[in-house]
Amino acid sequence: MRAIQITEFGGPEVLNPADLPDPVAGPGDLLIEVERAGVNYADTHRVEDTYLSSSALPLVPGSEVAGRTPDGRRVVAMVESGGYAERAAAPAGMAVDIPDGVDAGTALALLVQGSTAWVLLRRNVHLAEGESVAVHAGAGGVGSIAVQLAKAFGAGRVIATAGSSEKRELALELGADAAVDSRAEDMTAALVEANEGRRVDAVLDMTGGRVTDESLRALAPFGRLAFYGMASRKAPKPVQLPNLMRHSATVSGMWLPHAFQLPGDVVGRAMAEMFELVRTGRLRAVVGGEYPLADARRAHEDLRSRTTQGKLVLDPTREA
């Protein structure tokens, strides 16, 4: 089968097409003919070996696929690795059936980006009706869905940040009440101004560096910041515990694989709720780019440049 393999760690340049044996489905696994494979920011860290969990070489990147099983089921599934390929094996417990009328790109956007946004809002910041929430990278994969979910969950005011006028316009189109330039010199002041002079109740942050530090200072008493990524590749300053008490603030982290371990099938419930929102027209997944499988390197370059919008996917059925 055709796949993308890395034999050394590095940047997008280490992503190379390769012909590899088909995966073998073990006990409890599903063999999936891949229709689309998702590209995530976490993949860029895996390729560098800077992710939360280390990787072994050689590696076929990719943690999510959408396609068909041999018995005809259409599913979207998480995989440990191996998603950038024509075929993948996934644990049955990590697969969700795709409803009729939902395309593969939308299903992929909901599985990782959508579930991330849902868990951040429901479990990390416990967004209450009428509260304000700031969503960094509001036109990105997670952000574009988080903006819409926050409105659907009853947020009083949703503030999105983005680095271009086109991205800010998209965030407003998706339901944000205000859009802030992510390059603002003082993010604290920018968020407070966008919230009509009030500090914000919640922040969803995947940027890192000074943006995280300044967002924390923008929190209202009993405000919550949920940290789920570091796109800037710059760590924020260590959180000082006395400052949390001084401002009655809460800072949490979130890594989506842990959500699959929660009792009560949390991810399954999140997917069911989001599929229903899609069906009723209250949620739209933004698929910002489809690339032939062989162009995985270009997809990573575009993602790392932070010029893309929404979800990026690879198409193994398409020639370069």
Side-chain angles (χ1 to χ4, degrees):
M1 67 172 185
R2 292 183 305 138
I4 299 296
Q5 186 182 59
I6 69 168
T7 56
E8 61 179 323
F9 294 118
E13 72 281 353
V14 304
L15 293 159
N16 293 304
D19 289 317
L20 300 175
D22 286 354
V24 176
D29 287 345
L30 297 175
L31 188 63
I32 300 171
E33 192 77 20
V34 179
E35 182 181 344
R36 296 291 188 277
V39 179
N40 296 303
Y41 224 97
D43 298 344
T44 70
H45 285 287
R46 278 198 182 278
V47 169
E48 290 179 332
D49 201 26
T50 58
Y51 195 49
L52 293 175
S53 58
S54 61
S55 302
L57 297 174
L59 172 72
V60 175
S63 61
E64 50 169 351
V65 296
R68 290 193 180 274
T69 63
D71 61 359
R73 286 175 60 197
R74 194 157 168 262
V75 299
V76 60
M78 295 288 296
V79 294
E80 176 62 28
S81 61
Y84 293 6
E86 292 181 303
R87 293 168 199 88
M94 304 286 273
V96 177
D97 287 285
I98 302 175
D100 292 339
V102 176
D103 62 79
T106 294
L108 283 168
L110 295 185
L111 181 63
V112 171
Q113 280 73 27
S115 293
T116 295
W118 192 97
V119 171
L120 288 167
L121 289 167
R122 291 291 202 202
R123 309 260 324 192
N124 284 76
V125 303
H126 299 280
L127 185 70
E129 189 169 346
E131 287 191 316
S132 58
V133 57
V135 179
H136 287 304
V142 174
S144 61
I145 295 178
V147 164
Q148 298 174 80
L149 288 181
K151 296 300 287 188
F153 295 167
R157 190 165 179 82
V158 178
I159 302 155
T161 73
S164 70
S165 59
E166 292 80 11
K167 289 185 176 184
R168 292 192 289 275
E169 288 170 9
L170 173 61
L172 293 170
E173 178 189 331
L174 294 173
D177 298 289
V180 171
D181 192 333
S182 60
R183 299 162 298 182
E185 290 186 9
D186 185 341
M187 185 57 69
T188 302
L191 293 180
V192 171
E193 180 182 357
N195 199 35
E196 301 178 320
R198 300 182 301 272
R199 293 180 178 272
V200 297
D201 296 304
V203 175
L204 308 187
D205 179 40
M206 50 75 69
T207 305
R210 74 167 183 88
V211 169
T212 303
D213 300 329
E214 294 173 6
S215 297
L216 184 58
R217 290 197 289 271
L219 289 177
F222 295 99
R224 293 87 65 200
L225 183 146
F227 188 73
Y228 67 99
M230 200 162 62
S232 69
R233 285 171 162 75
K234 296 178 181 177
K237 294 177 183 176
V239 174
Q240 299 296 318
L241 296 182
N243 288 337
L244 297 183
M245 185 173 64
R246 184 174 295 117
H247 301 289
S248 296
T250 299
V251 177
S252 65
M254 201 280 281
W255 189 33
L256 187 61
H258 291 148
F260 284 90
Q261 301 169 19
L262 292 171
D265 190 19
V266 167
V267 173
R269 288 194 289 111
M271 292 293 287
E273 183 174 359
M274 290 187 292
F275 279 141
E276 179 61 18
L277 289 171
V278 168
R279 188 190 68 80
T280 57
R282 299 176 66 195
L283 179 62
R284 172 168 69 93
V286 178
V287 178
E290 290 195 0
Y291 302 75
L293 180 65
D295 281 357
R297 179 182 301 184
R298 181 163 61 90
H300 275 229
E301 290 170 346
D302 291 348
L303 187 61
R304 291 182 59 150
S305 73
R306 300 179 69 180
T307 58
T308 62
Q309 298 180 1
K311 179 70 176 176
L312 303 187
V313 298
L314 300 177
D315 182 356
T317 70
R318 188 172 142 204
E319 294 295 330

